[in-house]
Amino acid sequence: MIESQMSSLSSYKIFKGFLAFLILFLPVPLVLVSVGVGYLKIPPGEVLKVVQSKLTGEVSEDLKTYEAVIFNIRLPRILLAFLVGATLAVSGAVMQSMFRNPLVEPYILGISSGAAFGASLALGLGITFLTGVQTLAFVFGISSIFLAYVMAKTRGEVPVVNLVLAGIIVTALFSALTSLIKFFVDPHNLAAIVYWIMGSFSHAKWDQLLAVTPMILFPLLLIFAMGWRLNVLSLGEEEAKALGVKVNRDQLVFLSLATFSTSSAVSVSGIIGWVGLLVPHIVRLAFSSDNRVMMPLCASLGGSFMVLADNIARTAFSFELPISVLTTILGAPVFMFLVRRRARRVWS
Amino acid sequence: MVLEVKGLRFAYRGELKFVLDGIEMKLNDGEILVLLGPNGCGKTTLLKCINRLLKPIEGAVLVEDRNLIEMNERDIAKTIAYVPQHQKLPFPYKVLEFVLLGRAPHIGLFSAPRARDYEIAIEALKLLGIENLADRFYTELSGGERQLVLIARALASEAKILLLDEPTAHLDFKNTHRVLGTLRKIIKERGLSAIITLHDPNLAQRYGDKVAVVQNGRIFKYGLPKEIIDSELIKIVYGIEAFVLNFDNLRVVVPK
C-alpha cells in the first residue's frame, strides 16, 4: 500500500518535472510561431528557413520580404512583449512574498499610476522628443514607490502595513493628477493618453528593446539568485528577523529590484494588468511556493502569456486591441477556475 | 549556566510605563525554564527582548559571557531559536521546505540550502518523529502537527537555546501533552536549554525544571515548581483561590 503510494508519488513528481521543463522551453517554439502570425502569414517552415539563412549569413532574394517582416517588425515586438510579461510575473511574485498576500499585484505601491501620470504629462505637454513618454513614465513610476517608502518609514522601520497604506495614497494622488491632465488636454492628446494607459506593444522597435533589456534583465537575474531569501521573508517580519535576516535591508533590496524592472517594463508597454497576479498563482498552484522554483517558471510563463495575448491583440481584428483588455479577459476566467478548484485545499 | 538576563528594562515607544522593569533571570544548561504569569504581565515581551526582536532600553542578555544585545542578527539566530505561537502561512509550503527555512542564519543572501542543510532539516523532522510529514503542505496540517513542525524548524537552526511562546495555546488536551512531552524529551537528549511561556501552572510543574513567575514587569518568584507553586502564589498572581493537591509524585492545581 505504502509502496504503491510511493511509486505514484514519484511518478507524479516526474510528471511535474517534465511539465516544468516544457514551460521553461515553451518560449522557443512560441516565438518561432508568433513571428509568422500577422497580416502577412509566414508558415513555420519558411520562418525556420529565414532563421537558418540569417544564421549562415546569406538571405536569398525570395526570403527578403519575410526576413524584413520577421526581423524588423515582429521580432522586436515579440521579444519586448516577452520581457514585459516575464518581469510583471516575477515582480508580482516578489511583491506577493514580501507582503505575504497572494492577491498583491506588482503595482501595489503605485508604480502604475505614477507611470501613467508621467506618460500623461509627456503626452499632454507634447514632450515626445528623446522618448519623453518612456522617460517620464519610468521616472514617475520609480518616484511613486520612493514616495510610498518615505511615507511609510517611521523611526527607522518600514512596517508592511504602512507601506501598503502609503501605496494606496500614492496611487490615489497620481490618479487624481492624471485625471487633471486628461481634463485640460485637447481631445487628440486625450486619446493618446487613454490609449497609452491601456497598454500596447505596437510601437516596439529594436532600439527601444535594446535600451530596456538590461534594465529588466539585471534586476530579474538578481532576484533569481536571491530566491530562497524571499522564502524566508515570506514568513513575516518578526520571524524572518528571528531567523537572522536583516529584514528592512532585504525588503528594500527586493522592492528596489522589482520596482526598477517593473517601471522599465511599464514605461515601454503602458499598464498591463493581471499578468503579475495570474501567473504566480498558476505556478504556485501547479508547482511550488518555493521562490527558487517559482521565479524561472513565472518568467517563462509570464513572458509566453504576454506574447500569446499580443498575438491575439494584433491579429484578431483589422485594428489593434489594447493588450490590457485582452490579458484581463483571458486572465479572469482562468483565475476564477484556479481559485475555485484549489483554494480550499491549499489555503487554510 | 547558558543564559543570564541582567537588569533588563523595556518600554514600548512613546509609553512611560516599563513593561519589563529590572528583570534578573538565569537559565542553566540543559534546563527548561517556564515563564508563568497572567495575560499582559510581559512574558512574551521578555522572550522577544531576549533574542532582540524587541530592543531593551537597559540591561544585558549574556550567553557564555557575550552580550546578545550587541551581537548581530545572524549570530543571535545561530545562538537562540524562536518558536512563535503559530504561523499563518500565506503560501502553501511543503513541510520540508518550511523546516529548511530554519537554516536561514547559516545561508547568505545569494545562497540556497545545500545537501547538508537538507540532511539537518530531515534529521530535525526525524527527532520529532514527524518525518512522514515532509512532503505534506504545512497549511494542511493539524494544530499539533504544525507546532511540532515549528519546533523542527527551530531545531534545524542548530541553536542551543530555544525560546517558545505559548507553544500549546491553540492545542487540544492530547496535543498539548504530545508537544510538550516530545519537546522535553528532545531538550534532555540533545543537551539543549529552553525558555517556555505557558498559561497553565499544571503544565509548568509537569514539564518545567524551573519556574519563573512574571508580575508587573519583574520576576516575582523563581525556583523549583514544587517549591514555589502553592495556593498563596495562585492567589497573588491569578487572583483566585485554589487547592494544590498531591498524589504520589504528582502535584495538581485545582481552583476552589
Side-chain angles (χ1 to χ4, degrees):
Chain A
M1 164 78 180
I2 290 173
E3 270 169 20
S4 72
Q5 271 184 349
M6 291 293 278
S7 73
S8 72
L9 193 71
S10 63
S11 63
Y12 177 61
K13 274 187 176 170
I14 291 168
F15 169 71
K16 266 195 171 181
F18 180 65
L19 203 61
F21 183 80
L22 278 187
I23 286 182
L24 283 179
F25 286 91
L26 174 68
V28 178
L30 185 67
V31 168
L32 285 177
V33 171
S34 299
V35 290
V37 174
Y39 182 70
L40 174 72
K41 288 190 180 54
I42 308 172
E46 299 295 304
V47 172
L48 284 177
K49 263 190 216 165
V50 172
V51 173
Q52 197 184 9
S53 55
K54 186 87 177 168
L55 287 175
T56 53
E58 282 166 39
V59 183
S60 59
E61 270 316 305
D62 53 329
L63 288 176
K64 281 276 183 209
T65 321
Y66 284 168
E67 189 217 351
V69 170
I70 290 175
F71 282 92
N72 298 344
I73 301 170
R74 289 186 190 158
L75 197 58
R77 176 172 183 158
I78 288 163
L79 292 179
L80 192 68
F82 185 85
L83 268 182
V84 169
T87 197
L88 288 178
V90 169
S91 300
V94 169
M95 298 289 192
Q96 286 158 14
S97 281
M98 295 241 322
F99 292 105
R100 290 167 51 77
N101 187 336
L103 297 177
V104 161
E105 275 219 78
Y107 304 138
I108 179 164
L109 295 179
I111 301 179
S112 58
S113 69
F117 171 71
S120 308
L121 198 63
L123 291 165
L125 297 175
I127 310 171
T128 44
F129 59 93
L130 286 176
T131 62
V133 178
Q134 277 98 44
T135 311
L136 282 187
F138 176 76
V139 167
F140 279 97
I142 290 271
S143 320
S144 66
I145 212 148
F146 274 104
L147 204 60
Y149 197 83
V150 170
M151 261 193 228
K153 194 165 183 169
T154 45
R155 302 188 183 108
E157 303 261 316
V158 186
V160 165
V161 180
N162 286 17
L163 209 50
V164 174
L165 288 175
I168 292 172
I169 296 168
V170 171
T171 304
L173 185 68
F174 278 122
S175 299
L177 291 175
T178 306
S179 300
L180 198 65
I181 294 177
K182 282 185 189 166
F183 183 73
F184 280 115
V185 295
D186 68 64
H188 176 71
N189 286 346
L190 178 62
I193 291 173
V194 170
Y195 191 70
W196 188 92
I197 289 176
M198 287 195 289
S200 171
F201 293 106
S202 60
H203 302 299
K205 298 265 164 24
W206 277 111
D207 53 350
Q208 194 188 32
L209 178 69
L210 292 177
V212 87
T213 299
M215 293 168 74
I216 288 180
L217 224 46
F218 283 125
L220 287 198
L221 291 176
L222 283 172
I223 289 170
F224 282 15
M226 299 187 294
W228 194 73
R229 180 57 63 88
L230 208 49
N231 292 356
V232 183
L233 287 177
S234 74
L235 291 175
E237 287 159 271
E238 191 172 277
E239 271 181 58
K241 201 175 163 195
L243 286 168
V245 169
K246 284 188 172 21
V247 174
N248 276 317
R249 181 201 67 183
D250 288 3
Q251 279 180 340
L252 186 61
V253 168
F254 278 108
L255 266 185
S256 307
L257 293 173
T259 307
F260 194 84
S261 60
T262 305
S263 296
S264 312
V266 168
S267 75
V268 290
S269 69
I271 294 154
I272 302 173
W274 276 86
V275 181
L277 183 64
L278 178 70
V279 173
H281 244 85
I282 295 177
V283 173
R284 201 174 286 125
L285 290 174
F287 297 98
S288 169
S289 302
D290 185 341
N291 283 295
R292 287 175 295 165
V293 179
M294 272 191 77
M295 290 305 164
L297 289 171
C298 277
S300 191
L301 198 63
S304 304
F305 178 73
M306 192 67 92
V307 170
L308 196 69
D310 188 48
N311 285 350
I312 298 172
R314 66 196 168 88
T315 54
F317 298 96
S318 56
F319 51 89
E320 282 226 4
L321 279 177
I323 189 155
S324 193
V325 174
L326 263 170
T327 53
T328 309
I329 290 173
L330 287 174
V334 178
F335 195 68
M336 200 165 105
F337 171 75
L338 283 175
V339 169
R340 288 183 69 91
R341 191 162 154 254
R342 291 285 297 275
R344 251 172 296 166
R345 190 169 86 84
V346 173
W347 290 293
S348 55
Chain B
M1 180 175 56
V2 289
L3 185 142
E4 186 176 5
V5 179
K6 279 186 166 172
L8 195 79
R9 297 179 90 194
F10 177 83
Y12 285 98
R13 275 182 197 276
E15 285 179 28
L16 292 173
K17 189 173 171 288
F18 282 102
V19 181
L20 302 175
D21 194 3
I23 296 275
E24 304 277 341
M25 196 172 79
K26 282 176 188 172
L27 175 68
N28 292 314
D29 229 341
E31 192 177 75
I32 298 174
L33 173 66
V34 176
L35 296 181
L36 269 185
N39 285 333
C41 71
K43 299 188 299 280
T44 301
T45 309
L46 176 55
L47 275 196
K48 288 182 179 174
C49 280
I50 289 174
N51 73 342
R52 224 188 52 198
L53 284 178
L54 295 171
K55 200 168 182 187
I57 291 170
E58 248 179 67
V61 178
L62 301 172
V63 176
E64 290 157 359
D65 296 327
R66 292 211 292 165
N67 189 357
L68 273 178
I69 308 293
E70 283 150 18
M71 280 160 66
N72 70 33
E73 289 91 339
R74 256 177 110 161
D75 287 339
I76 294 175
K78 284 179 189 171
T79 314
I80 298 185
Y82 178 71
V83 180
Q85 231 177 68
H86 57 106
Q87 162 63 256
K88 282 201 126 181
L89 262 188
F91 307 113
Y93 285 117
K94 293 267 176 73
V95 168
L96 182 60
E97 289 166 356
F98 186 74
V99 172
L100 260 179
L101 296 175
R103 297 298 296 158
H106 304 270
I107 295 171
L109 182 58
F110 290 98
S111 311
R114 294 161 197 272
R116 175 90 191 108
D117 298 302
Y118 278 87
E119 279 169 25
I120 290 169
I122 290 168
E123 186 62 29
L125 286 171
K126 279 186 183 159
L127 264 177
L128 291 161
I130 49 169
E131 68 269 30
N132 57 321
L133 301 180
D135 237 5
R136 298 262 304 275
F137 285 112
Y138 176 82
T139 37
E140 289 178 337
L141 302 181
S142 72
E145 289 168 333
R146 283 184 189 200
Q147 203 57 44
L148 290 174
V149 172
L150 280 170
I151 294 170
R153 194 183 74 189
L155 293 179
S157 75
E158 295 185 305
K160 290 287 178 212
I161 302 169
L162 306 181
L163 303 182
L164 297 100
D165 188 14
E166 288 171 29
T168 56
H170 300 271
L171 302 185
D172 64 21
F173 185 71
K174 175 187 146 195
N175 277 309
T176 297
H177 289 281
R178 180 185 176 200
V179 167
L180 289 177
T182 315
L183 186 67
R184 185 174 170 89
K185 185 168 140 264
I186 285 166
I187 287 170
K188 296 298 168 188
E189 279 174 9
R190 311 288 288 189
L192 307 173
S193 316
I195 302 177
I196 309 177
T197 66
L198 288 175
H199 275 307
D200 185 345
N202 287 319
L203 293 176
Q205 51 190 3
R206 173 139 190 184
Y207 294 104
D209 297 311
K210 293 267 177 60
V211 171
V213 181
V214 185
Q215 201 181 26
N216 299 327
R218 289 167 183 272
I219 303 291
F220 171 66
K221 278 236 164 133
Y222 170 82
L224 295 172
K226 63 180 179 194
E227 285 171 3
I228 63 164
I229 295 179
D230 53 25
S231 315
E232 194 191 347
L233 182 92
I234 301 295
K235 173 82 181 143
I236 295 171
V237 175
Y238 294 102
I240 57 167
E241 303 283 344
F243 302 110
V244 176
L245 309 172
N246 280 296
F247 305 96
D248 302 332
N249 275 329
L250 241 127
R251 286 160 55 83
V252 186
V253 179
V254 186
K256 274 183 190 171

Short mmCIF file of all heavy atoms in Angstrom, two decimals, chain B residues 214-236:
data_model
loop_
_atom_site.label_atom_id
_atom_site.label_comp_id
_atom_site.label_asym_id
_atom_site.label_seq_id
_atom_site.Cartn_x
_atom_site.Cartn_y
_atom_site.Cartn_z
N VAL B 214 6.31 35.89 36.37
CA VAL B 214 6.47 37.29 36.00
C VAL B 214 5.24 38.07 36.46
O VAL B 214 4.11 37.65 36.22
CB VAL B 214 6.61 37.44 34.46
CG1 VAL B 214 6.90 38.89 34.08
CG2 VAL B 214 7.71 36.53 33.93
N GLN B 215 5.50 39.16 37.17
CA GLN B 215 4.38 40.01 37.56
C GLN B 215 4.83 41.46 37.56
O GLN B 215 5.89 41.79 38.09
CB GLN B 215 3.84 39.60 38.92
CG GLN B 215 2.41 40.09 39.10
CD GLN B 215 1.84 39.73 40.46
OE1 GLN B 215 2.57 39.55 41.41
NE2 GLN B 215 0.52 39.65 40.52
N ASN B 216 4.01 42.32 36.99
CA ASN B 216 4.33 43.76 36.91
C ASN B 216 5.73 44.02 36.38
O ASN B 216 6.45 44.86 36.90
CB ASN B 216 4.17 44.43 38.28
CG ASN B 216 2.75 44.31 38.79
OD1 ASN B 216 1.81 44.32 37.98
ND2 ASN B 216 2.59 44.16 40.08
N GLY B 217 6.11 43.26 35.36
CA GLY B 217 7.41 43.52 34.72
C GLY B 217 8.62 43.07 35.51
O GLY B 217 9.75 43.44 35.19
N ARG B 218 8.41 42.31 36.57
CA ARG B 218 9.54 41.78 37.34
C ARG B 218 9.39 40.28 37.54
O ARG B 218 8.30 39.75 37.40
CB ARG B 218 9.60 42.43 38.72
CG ARG B 218 10.01 43.88 38.73
CD ARG B 218 9.70 44.47 40.09
NE ARG B 218 10.03 45.89 40.10
CZ ARG B 218 11.24 46.38 40.40
NH1 ARG B 218 12.23 45.56 40.74
NH2 ARG B 218 11.47 47.67 40.37
N ILE B 219 10.51 39.63 37.88
CA ILE B 219 10.41 38.23 38.27
C ILE B 219 9.97 38.21 39.74
O ILE B 219 10.72 38.57 40.64
CB ILE B 219 11.75 37.49 38.13
CG1 ILE B 219 12.27 37.58 36.69
CG2 ILE B 219 11.61 36.03 38.57
CD1 ILE B 219 11.47 36.82 35.67
N PHE B 220 8.74 37.77 39.94
CA PHE B 220 8.15 37.80 41.28
C PHE B 220 8.64 36.61 42.10
O PHE B 220 8.93 36.72 43.28
CB PHE B 220 6.63 37.80 41.12
CG PHE B 220 5.87 37.61 42.38
CD1 PHE B 220 5.91 38.56 43.39
CD2 PHE B 220 5.09 36.46 42.56
CE1 PHE B 220 5.19 38.37 44.55
CE2 PHE B 220 4.37 36.28 43.72
CZ PHE B 220 4.42 37.23 44.72
N LYS B 221 8.71 35.45 41.47
CA LYS B 221 9.24 34.26 42.15
C LYS B 221 10.01 33.42 41.16
O LYS B 221 9.70 33.38 39.98
CB LYS B 221 8.07 33.42 42.72
CG LYS B 221 7.54 33.92 44.03
CD LYS B 221 7.59 32.82 45.08
CE LYS B 221 7.44 33.43 46.47
NZ LYS B 221 6.47 32.69 47.30
N TYR B 222 11.04 32.73 41.65
CA TYR B 222 11.85 31.90 40.78
C TYR B 222 12.29 30.68 41.57
O TYR B 222 12.72 30.81 42.73
CB TYR B 222 13.07 32.69 40.31
CG TYR B 222 14.12 31.88 39.60
CD1 TYR B 222 13.99 31.56 38.24
CD2 TYR B 222 15.24 31.39 40.28
CE1 TYR B 222 14.95 30.81 37.60
CE2 TYR B 222 16.20 30.63 39.63
CZ TYR B 222 16.05 30.34 38.30
OH TYR B 222 16.98 29.57 37.66
N GLY B 223 12.18 29.50 40.99
CA GLY B 223 12.67 28.32 41.70
C GLY B 223 12.08 27.03 41.16
O GLY B 223 11.52 27.00 40.06
N LEU B 224 12.24 25.94 41.94
CA LEU B 224 11.67 24.65 41.54
C LEU B 224 10.16 24.74 41.62
O LEU B 224 9.62 25.35 42.56
CB LEU B 224 12.18 23.54 42.47
CG LEU B 224 13.68 23.26 42.43
CD1 LEU B 224 14.06 22.28 43.53
CD2 LEU B 224 14.07 22.71 41.07
N PRO B 225 9.46 24.12 40.68
CA PRO B 225 8.00 24.23 40.67
C PRO B 225 7.37 23.83 42.00
O PRO B 225 6.48 24.51 42.50
CB PRO B 225 7.59 23.26 39.56
CG PRO B 225 8.78 23.07 38.71
CD PRO B 225 9.98 23.33 39.55
N LYS B 226 7.85 22.71 42.58
CA LYS B 226 7.18 22.23 43.80
C LYS B 226 7.43 23.16 44.98
O LYS B 226 6.70 23.14 45.96
CB LYS B 226 7.60 20.80 44.12
CG LYS B 226 9.07 20.64 44.43
CD LYS B 226 9.39 19.19 44.74
CE LYS B 226 10.88 19.06 45.02
NZ LYS B 226 11.36 17.71 45.00
N GLU B 227 8.46 23.96 44.88
CA GLU B 227 8.75 24.87 45.99
C GLU B 227 7.96 26.18 45.89
O GLU B 227 7.67 26.79 46.91
CB GLU B 227 10.25 25.20 46.03
CG GLU B 227 11.08 24.06 46.57
CD GLU B 227 12.57 24.28 46.41
OE1 GLU B 227 12.97 25.36 45.93
OE2 GLU B 227 13.32 23.36 46.77
N ILE B 228 7.70 26.60 44.65
CA ILE B 228 7.06 27.93 44.58
C ILE B 228 5.59 27.92 44.18
O ILE B 228 4.86 28.86 44.47
CB ILE B 228 7.84 28.88 43.63
CG1 ILE B 228 7.83 28.37 42.21
CG2 ILE B 228 9.25 29.14 44.12
CD1 ILE B 228 8.23 29.44 41.23
N ILE B 229 5.13 26.85 43.51
CA ILE B 229 3.71 26.85 43.12
C ILE B 229 2.87 26.36 44.29
O ILE B 229 2.89 25.18 44.64
CB ILE B 229 3.48 25.99 41.87
CG1 ILE B 229 4.21 26.61 40.67
CG2 ILE B 229 1.98 25.88 41.57
CD1 ILE B 229 4.08 25.84 39.39
N ASP B 230 2.15 27.26 44.93
CA ASP B 230 1.24 26.88 46.01
C ASP B 230 0.00 27.79 45.98
O ASP B 230 -0.09 28.70 45.15
CB ASP B 230 1.95 26.93 47.37
CG ASP B 230 2.62 28.28 47.60
OD1 ASP B 230 2.15 29.28 47.00
OD2 ASP B 230 3.60 28.35 48.36
N SER B 231 -0.92 27.53 46.88
CA SER B 231 -2.19 28.27 46.88
C SER B 231 -1.96 29.77 46.98
O SER B 231 -2.64 30.57 46.34
CB SER B 231 -3.07 27.83 48.06
OG SER B 231 -3.07 26.46 48.17
N GLU B 232 -0.97 30.12 47.79
CA GLU B 232 -0.70 31.53 48.01
C GLU B 232 -0.28 32.23 46.71
O GLU B 232 -0.76 33.31 46.37
CB GLU B 232 0.40 31.66 49.06
CG GLU B 232 0.54 33.05 49.63
CD GLU B 232 1.82 33.18 50.45
OE1 GLU B 232 2.44 32.12 50.76
OE2 GLU B 232 2.22 34.30 50.76
N LEU B 233 0.63 31.56 45.96
CA LEU B 233 1.11 32.13 44.70
C LEU B 233 -0.04 32.31 43.70
O LEU B 233 -0.17 33.34 43.05
CB LEU B 233 2.19 31.23 44.08
CG LEU B 233 2.78 31.77 42.78
CD1 LEU B 233 4.01 32.61 43.06
CD2 LEU B 233 3.11 30.67 41.80
N ILE B 234 -0.88 31.26 43.61
CA ILE B 234 -2.01 31.32 42.66
C ILE B 234 -2.93 32.48 43.04
O ILE B 234 -3.41 33.22 42.18
CB ILE B 234 -2.81 29.99 42.68
CG1 ILE B 234 -1.91 28.80 42.32
CG2 ILE B 234 -4.03 30.06 41.77
CD1 ILE B 234 -1.37 28.79 40.93
N LYS B 235 -3.12 32.64 44.34
CA LYS B 235 -3.98 33.74 44.84
C LYS B 235 -3.38 35.10 44.44
O LYS B 235 -4.08 35.98 43.93
CB LYS B 235 -4.09 33.60 46.37
CG LYS B 235 -4.79 34.76 47.06
CD LYS B 235 -6.29 34.61 46.99
CE LYS B 235 -6.97 35.80 47.66
NZ LYS B 235 -8.16 36.24 47.01
N ILE B 236 -2.09 35.25 44.65
CA ILE B 236 -1.45 36.54 44.38
C ILE B 236 -1.38 36.83 42.88
O ILE B 236 -1.71 37.92 42.42
CB ILE B 236 -0.03 36.59 44.99
CG1 ILE B 236 -0.11 36.52 46.52
CG2 ILE B 236 0.69 37.87 44.57
CD1 ILE B 236 1.23 36.34 47.19
#
